[in-house]
Each structure stands twice: as structure tokens, then as C-alpha cells.
Amino acid sequence: MEFYMLIVIFVICICISSFLNIILKLTDKKNWLMSFLMCIALTIVIFALLYER
């Protein structure tokens, strides 16, 4: 169950990040990599906060 919650949080974060990258025209490879890494970090933080309860 925890794995599914982790995947859902990651997919939501990556969708928001991708949408913002496209809207702000940040389509360089470097920008996508930074976005991906920030999504991973944010997913871990959100998962830790939600799973603690």
C-alpha cells in the first residue's frame, strides 16, 4: 500500500512540474533533470509527512 501511495505522489508531482516546464518554456534537458530531481525530493518529504500519521 505504501508503494502505491509513493507512486501516486510522484506522478502528481511530475505532472505539475511538467506542466510548469511547458508553460514557462523551460524545455532544456537541464531543466527537466532538475525538475525530476526536485520531484523525487518532494515526493519523499510528502510521503514522510503523510505516512507519519
Side-chain angles (χ1 to χ4, degrees), residues 1 6 15 18 25 30 37 41 45 49-50:
M1 184 65 180
L6 190 67
C15 287
S18 298
K25 297 182 174 125
K30 176 183 69 168
L37 293 175
V45 170
L49 290 173
L50 290 176

Side-chain angles (χ1 to χ4, degrees), residues 17-44:
S17 175
S18 298
F19 178 73
L20 288 174
N21 277 344
I22 292 169
I23 292 296
L24 298 174
K25 297 182 174 125
L26 301 172
T27 54
D28 293 337
K29 191 174 187 178
K30 176 183 69 168
N31 294 329
W32 286 104
L33 181 64
M34 286 299 294
S35 176
F36 182 73
L37 293 175
M38 287 192 308
C39 285
I40 290 174
L42 188 60
T43 299
I44 292 171

